[in-house]
Amino acid sequence: YRQHPQSGSNPGLWCFICCKAASLPLRHSLSSYLAELLSNLPQSRVEPSDGSPDVFISYRRSTGSQLASLLKVHLQLRGLSVFIDVEKLEAGTFEDKLVQSVKRARNFLLVLSANALDKCMDDLELKDWVHKEIVLAMSCNKNIVPIIDQFSWPDPGRLPEDMRDILKFNGVQWVHEYQDASIEKILRFLQAQNNVELPERGVLS
């Protein structure tokens, strides 16, 4: 392993490395610890001057927060800027920031964890935030990449029509035992759709 040049002795990086060699139960425990360290993880590069993140991560807080946080770490360590709401949604400026971040992001990762779309079902008034983010991403023609983890696709008829096309997008099956392989698939989706060269990887030689 090669240490990321801007990570220093950050414990999150070492936790990430330990996840590669740990047994499955321990890996899950370490991943949980890693998610808690996110707030102290430095950005792997300077944010774009126009405030446009490379990736916006949408997730269901009750079942997808750990994977969303883990994805953020993986992508940041590879030089991508990532937006993820790590605090509870509040009215006003934070809501505006969330909407603007979806619009400005080059890519939209949708974490489909267990029951991630349940609250979207029959949400005809667009009150659910995951529903709102999906509709906004589709209306802005974002590069949408579903990340599937212990998720079962719902009956299309139960989903509001304005988000039903999400079922047509190709996704990446997240495999905890092979995190690097899963991330590489995600990076290929990002690279192919954006027709850009991704930043040089900063970890794992």
Side-chain angles (χ1 to χ4, degrees), residues 155-196:
D155 178 0
R158 294 289 308 280
L159 293 176
E161 188 174 355
D162 59 3
M163 66 169 293
R164 207 168 291 167
D165 282 350
I166 197 65
L167 303 176
K168 300 178 182 179
F169 285 83
N170 291 324
V172 175
Q173 183 71 49
W174 180 262
V175 182
H176 288 281
E177 295 87 342
Y178 300 101
Q179 294 184 20
D180 272 348
S182 299
I183 286 294
E184 290 302 326
K185 289 181 181 179
I186 294 171
L187 293 176
R188 286 197 293 272
F189 269 85
L190 303 184
Q191 187 174 29
Q193 294 298 322
N194 290 279
N195 194 31
V196 295

Side-chain angles (χ1 to χ4, degrees), residues 2 5 75 119 129 181:
R2 178 162 54 90
L75 294 174
K119 290 185 178 180
W129 267 101

Side-chain angles (χ1 to χ4, degrees), residues 110-177:
L110 174 61
V111 176
L112 292 177
S113 52
N115 308 314
L117 299 184
D118 283 8
K119 290 185 178 180
C120 300
M121 295 180 185
D122 305 317
D123 179 34
L124 301 181
E125 298 182 7
L126 199 64
K127 292 183 177 180
D128 179 69
W129 267 101
V130 172
H131 182 190
K132 288 181 181 180
E133 292 169 358
I134 291 172
V135 171
L136 182 58
M138 291 195 298
S139 67
C140 295
N141 295 316
K142 297 300 175 181
N143 175 35
I144 300 175
V145 183
I147 311 299
I148 304 165
D149 179 35
Q150 301 181 18
F151 175 78
S152 298
W153 291 99
D155 178 0
R158 294 289 308 280
L159 293 176
E161 188 174 355
D162 59 3
M163 66 169 293
R164 207 168 291 167
D165 282 350
I166 197 65
L167 303 176
K168 300 178 182 179
F169 285 83
N170 291 324
V172 175
Q173 183 71 49
W174 180 262
V175 182
H176 288 281
E177 295 87 342

Side-chain angles (χ1 to χ4, degrees), residues 85-97:
D85 61 303
V86 294
E87 298 178 357
K88 293 182 179 179
L89 292 174
E90 298 176 358
T93 57
F94 188 80
E95 179 176 334
D96 293 339
K97 180 180 179 181

